[in-house]
Amino acid sequence: MRSFLLVGFIAVLWVILSLLSPHFMTISNIMLLLQQSSIVMVAGIGMTFAILTSGIDLSIGSVAALASVVMGITITNWGFPVPVALILGLLTGTVFGTLNGILISYFKLQPMVCTLGVMSIARGLTYIFTSGRSIFVTDSFLIKIGSGRLMGIPIIAIIALCMFVIGYIILNYTYLGRSIYSLGGNEEATRLSGINTMRIKTITYAICGLCAGVVGILYVCTLGASEPTVGQGLELNATAVTAIGGTSLLGGVGSLVGTVFGAILIGTINNGLSILNIVSYYQQLLLGVVIILAVLLERFKKK
């Protein structure tokens, strides 16, 4: 029901924006909207996994930036083939995600504090490796991924859709997915039922880190460079689209379908504000309000 209401709200918003600007409801702008929503959609998918366990990953933006820098260095400075660079980028995200999971599950660190520390470490390494400068990546294959289309649909949007399908299958049709929901609902009961909760947490944060690695790759493809500043504020956007989509910030309840629609909603708002020439400061204001409202809604639902 939450997803249906979200779709209805998006439809109403599209009608309003099309009336306010003739440039909104055009094929080129809709494709641009999908492309703009794809990166935060992938980040939101990873964040959904983390939040479902009653946790959070504040390092996702910085890890994505580090993964993009690793790709840029291996391609431009070291001359590695693109497939190797892609693997190293994904591996970077997965390693840092696994580190988060180990610290949270085995060393009992609070998710917010732990991922905040890892965020600082990843961002620091990003600036150290680049000395604060951009690393330009001119590989034609990566540029085509960032700006190309397949059957009229942006390739980045197709990648985001594939990530959604994989994540949806994991959460809804596997033992791991059922364990993640159970863990977020009641960790002690899940442990007593024989599920290795520490291992489930570690795998969950590794998946979130993998999503951060994919985001880093998409940044490189979109910008044609590894920018040490990319991903700043991405954790806020990812949390917002997850909360908008109906995933409880207390854990145990939510779905990736809602996260996808949440990403489209945020993308629509950002796109609409740009078309209407409204300054971008309002986007950050809106994201903060949305997160607070989502938490309040969950509180009222539990009373």
Side-chain angles (χ1 to χ4, degrees), residues 196-260:
N196 189 331
T197 56
M198 292 187 292
R199 183 171 62 187
I200 296 299
K201 276 188 181 181
T202 303
I203 294 174
T204 301
Y205 279 93
I207 292 174
C208 189
L210 176 63
C211 290
V214 174
V215 170
I217 293 173
L218 295 182
Y219 275 135
V220 174
C221 295
T222 303
L223 302 174
S226 297
E227 298 279 356
T229 58
V230 297
Q232 292 181 344
L234 182 63
E235 60 281 346
L236 177 62
N237 286 272
T239 303
V241 301
T242 303
I244 291 171
T247 298
S248 172
L249 297 180
L250 303 177
V253 178
S255 74
L256 289 184
V257 175
T259 299
V260 170

Side-chain angles (χ1 to χ4, degrees), residues 7-209:
V7 171
F9 183 74
I10 292 173
V12 171
L13 188 59
W14 279 27
V15 171
I16 294 174
L17 289 174
S18 64
L19 293 175
L20 294 176
S21 173
H23 303 292
F24 178 79
M25 197 63 75
T26 60
I27 297 299
S28 59
N29 187 62
I30 296 301
M31 293 299 105
L32 176 62
L33 190 155
L34 291 176
Q35 186 170 357
Q36 293 172 338
S37 303
S38 297
I39 290 179
V40 71
M41 184 186 300
V42 175
I45 290 171
M47 187 66 79
T48 301
F49 273 84
I51 290 178
L52 282 174
T53 64
S54 194
I56 197 169
D57 187 356
L58 298 180
S59 68
I60 191 167
S62 296
V63 172
L66 181 59
S68 73
V69 164
V70 169
M71 276 191 61
I73 290 175
T74 53
I75 294 175
T76 303
N77 296 357
W78 298 347
F80 281 25
V82 171
V84 175
L86 291 173
I87 293 173
L88 290 176
L90 294 176
L91 186 61
T92 299
T94 306
V95 166
F96 273 82
T98 303
L99 175 62
N100 279 328
I102 291 174
L103 292 175
I104 291 170
S105 58
Y106 290 92
F107 291 89
K108 309 301 181 183
L109 297 185
Q110 289 293 328
M112 183 173 293
V113 176
C114 174
T115 57
L116 186 63
V118 172
M119 176 184 73
S120 183
I121 292 172
R123 186 65 66 176
L125 289 174
T126 300
Y127 282 110
I128 290 172
F129 291 157
T130 62
S131 298
R133 295 190 293 268
S134 301
I135 301 175
F136 294 99
V137 180
T138 57
D139 183 81
S140 59
F141 175 73
L142 295 178
I143 300 300
K144 185 174 182 180
I145 292 177
S147 59
R149 296 185 180 185
L150 182 63
M151 295 183 293
I153 302 175
I155 296 176
I156 286 184
I158 295 175
I159 294 173
L161 178 61
C162 292
M163 294 293 294
F164 161 72
V165 171
I166 294 171
Y168 185 86
I169 291 174
I170 291 174
L171 284 179
N172 292 277
Y173 298 104
T174 67
Y175 170 81
L176 174 61
R178 292 190 294 271
S179 300
I180 289 173
Y181 277 106
S182 177
L183 175 61
N186 191 321
E187 181 173 354
E188 183 63 16
T190 303
R191 184 184 65 82
L192 293 175
S193 67
I195 296 176
N196 189 331
T197 56
M198 292 187 292
R199 183 171 62 187
I200 296 299
K201 276 188 181 181
T202 303
I203 294 174
T204 301
Y205 279 93
I207 292 174
C208 189

Side-chain angles (χ1 to χ4, degrees), residues 233 236-237 240 244 266 282-292:
L236 177 62
N237 286 272
I244 291 171
I266 292 297
Y282 292 99
Q283 299 174 12
Q284 295 298 317
L285 173 65
L286 181 62
L287 286 176
V289 171
V290 163
I291 292 176
I292 292 174

